[in-house]
Amino acid sequence: MTGKAIRLSKSVVGRQEAEAVSRLIMEDGYLGMGNEVRLFEEEIAQFLGVPTDTVMCVNSGTAALHLSVGALLEPGQEVLVQSLTFVASFEAVSAAGAVPVPCEVDPRTVTIDLEDAQSKITSATKAIMPVHYAGNPGDLTAIYEFAGHNNLRVIEDAAHAFGGTYRGKKIGSFGDVICFSFDGIKNITSGEGGCVVTRDKRVAERVQDARLLGVEHDTVNRYAGQRSWEFDVRSQGYRYHMSNIFAAIGRVQLRRIDNEFAPRRRMLACAYRRLLDGCPDIAFFDADYAEVVPHIFPVRIPDGKRDLLKKYLEDLGIGTGIHYKPNHLLTYYGAGRVSLPGTEKIFSEIMSLPLHPALKEEDLEFICGHIRRYLSREEVHDVP
Ligand SMILES: Cc1ncc(COP(=O)(O)O)c(C=O)c1O
């Protein structure tokens, strides 16, 4: 180690978030789901330019996806989803009793390959879950056309994409069912958390009740500072609602995204491209940073050099990641019974470089300088 430690990702929170939580503890007197969550939902809706009752906050992005799948599909029905995503996307589908069908990705954007998806449609296919990998939604127009032709619902896994736009429109401001994550390292964080955005009133109602153990209309009572005592439950629910503490943090973060986090993430991603331009053996994925707010910064390093470079950087104190191990290789999802050669090749070559708003330009120069030095050697070998 050089004594320098550069984290792959980080929660960027400070005095404002601490004060918001402190105010809630000292003055509000209720930490569960109440007024603060209602305000967070209102402010997210305002930010996206959608009606307030289309936004439902929950305690994780996985919960948002799980409730959405549960509201739309029956057990045994199939969801087309790229294999190269965080396991949360797959878990959310299988937790609802539905079946995730692993698909290939477009190698330029790591978003779902619609040709491959088309070949996997059966009579049980009812939805497609495009994952906005690294913040990039890919060709959403084509995805919605594909869904229309095949009579599928769309559940956007937009865990990486909060704050970004598609053709000038905010992700989440249009579409079918959109799920965001606000976990500790996302574009904004509420500690843990997430939300569902949908204009489908039936789905919105199902999600509202299902996040509160299926207790009908409990959201309305909680937002009025009350509890439901005389109620009915008609379907399975979960304890997935958001707490006032999470919302207090999220509300501050939401105020910071446009002026602080989004420009900083975009600037850092552009700086990586500039500093690594022409570097042998590094390939970038496509992304238009006028639209995408990058959540992670993955690159491709071919010819078996990825693991060597990863170790070299780790030894220097530079955190790196692999986003992600494809789900079709996991035991629970078939242990490689299905072959997805394109996805497997990308998996063998991807590596994510540090990206979070607290990174400094000098950190990027340090990281990129070492990558250049390492990859320009005559022979890349396992010695730092
Ligand atoms: C692609 C993707 N989908 C879903 C999730 C789930 O979000 P959460 O961690 O808030 O449950 C994540 C989180 O890392 C993710 O990266």
Side-chain angles (χ1 to χ4, degrees), residues 58-65 82 84-90 92 129-134 157-160 179-186 191-195 295-296 323-324:
V58 288
N59 58 13
S60 73
T62 310
L65 290 167
Q82 61 197 65
L84 207 150
T85 177
F86 189 44
V87 66
S89 320
F90 271 59
M129 182 184 281
V131 178
H132 304 344
Y133 182 84
D157 181 343
H160 294 190
C179 298
F180 292 109
S181 162
F182 307 138
D183 79 17
I185 56 164
K186 289 298 192 297
E192 294 287 350
C195 77
H295 163 55
I296 50 175
H323 295 94
Y324 295 96

Side-chain angles (χ1 to χ4, degrees), residues 27-175:
E27 294 169 23
D28 196 281
Y30 183 59
L31 307 186
M33 175 171 159
N35 199 41
E36 200 72 16
V37 178
R38 183 181 66 79
L39 290 171
F40 190 28
E41 287 177 348
E42 272 177 26
E43 288 161 8
I44 293 169
Q46 241 168 46
F47 176 82
L48 297 177
V50 299
T52 303
D53 61 358
T54 64
V55 177
M56 278 77 55
C57 281
V58 288
N59 58 13
S60 73
T62 310
L65 290 167
H66 179 192
L67 294 181
S68 302
V69 176
L72 288 172
L73 274 79
E74 299 298 327
Q77 294 182 332
E78 295 174 1
V79 180
L80 301 166
V81 53
Q82 61 197 65
S83 182
L84 207 150
T85 177
F86 189 44
V87 66
S89 320
F90 271 59
E91 292 273 357
V93 175
S94 54
V99 182
V101 177
C103 298
E104 288 276 24
V105 285
D106 179 330
R108 292 163 305 175
T109 55
V110 197
T111 54
I112 193 161
D113 174 340
L114 292 176
E115 220 176 288
D116 186 57
Q118 183 74 54
S119 73
K120 296 193 163 133
I121 289 190
T122 70
S123 57
T125 314
K126 298 293 171 205
I128 180 167
M129 182 184 281
V131 178
H132 304 344
Y133 182 84
N136 190 349
D139 188 347
L140 268 185
T141 306
I143 287 168
Y144 275 94
E145 274 169 19
F146 173 91
H149 288 148
N150 293 290
N151 208 14
L152 306 179
R153 297 299 297 256
V154 181
I155 301 166
E156 295 180 36
D157 181 343
H160 294 190
F162 193 80
T165 59
Y166 174 76
R167 298 192 179 168
K169 291 194 283 184
K170 284 223 168 78
I171 304 287
S173 68
F174 63 96

Side-chain angles (χ1 to χ4, degrees), residues 239-278:
R239 202 154 162 83
Y240 276 174
H241 58 274
M242 180 177 270
S243 83
N244 275 346
I245 292 216
F246 286 7
I249 298 170
R251 290 182 66 205
V252 174
Q253 291 264 305
L254 187 59
R255 291 199 286 274
R256 298 176 65 181
I257 189 160
D258 273 349
N259 294 333
E260 202 181 327
F261 299 145
R264 184 93 199 141
R265 284 180 176 276
R266 286 171 164 150
M267 188 278 280
L268 291 166
C270 293
Y272 267 130
R273 283 175 181 249
R274 196 177 61 250
L275 291 167
L276 291 172
D277 184 38

Side-chain angles (χ1 to χ4, degrees), residues 190-384:
S190 54
E192 294 287 350
C195 77
V196 178
V197 185
T198 183
R199 282 172 200 267
D200 181 326
K201 284 203 171 356
R202 193 193 62 85
V203 173
E205 257 169 43
R206 287 281 297 275
V207 169
Q208 274 201 352
D209 290 349
R211 70 179 165 175
L212 286 159
L213 294 167
V215 174
E216 283 189 335
H217 314 305
D218 199 20
T219 292
V220 181
N221 288 334
R222 287 196 178 233
Y223 288 171
Q226 289 157 8
R227 289 279 302 273
S228 308
W229 301 112
E230 185 53 52
F231 57 81
D232 196 12
V233 171
R234 288 169 208 265
S235 54
Q236 178 66 51
Y238 307 89
R239 202 154 162 83
Y240 276 174
H241 58 274
M242 180 177 270
S243 83
N244 275 346
I245 292 216
F246 286 7
I249 298 170
R251 290 182 66 205
V252 174
Q253 291 264 305
L254 187 59
R255 291 199 286 274
R256 298 176 65 181
I257 189 160
D258 273 349
N259 294 333
E260 202 181 327
F261 299 145
R264 184 93 199 141
R265 284 180 176 276
R266 286 171 164 150
M267 188 278 280
L268 291 166
C270 293
Y272 267 130
R273 283 175 181 249
R274 196 177 61 250
L275 291 167
L276 291 172
D277 184 38
C279 178
D281 293 323
I282 291 264
F284 302 113
F285 294 105
D286 288 356
D288 173 3
Y289 293 121
E291 301 229 79
V292 171
V293 177
H295 163 55
I296 50 175
F297 193 80
V299 294
R300 276 182 91 150
I301 302 133
D303 304 329
K305 293 177 187 163
R306 190 269 312 269
D307 290 343
L308 297 174
L309 177 61
K310 190 170 187 315
K311 179 171 184 317
Y312 175 73
L313 295 177
E314 294 280 353
D315 287 347
L316 286 163
I318 300 168
T320 58
I322 296 177
H323 295 94
Y324 295 96
K325 181 166 183 178
N327 287 273
H328 72 283
L329 301 180
L330 304 177
T331 303
Y332 192 51
Y333 296 112
R337 234 183 4 251
V338 186
S339 156
L340 297 173
T343 293
E344 285 157 35
K345 176 124 178 69
I346 295 172
F347 171 51
S348 71
E349 296 181 354
I350 40 173
M351 183 178 76
S352 300
L353 299 174
L355 185 69
H356 55 77
L359 268 182
K360 301 187 185 71
E361 279 89 318
E362 70 205 50
D363 294 329
L364 256 65
E365 277 159 21
F366 178 79
I367 296 164
C368 296
H370 276 288
I371 293 176
R372 276 188 175 280
R373 206 161 309 147
Y374 192 71
L375 289 177
S376 352
R377 293 173 177 190
E378 286 286 291
E379 239 179 272
V380 170
H381 52 80
D382 196 7
V383 180

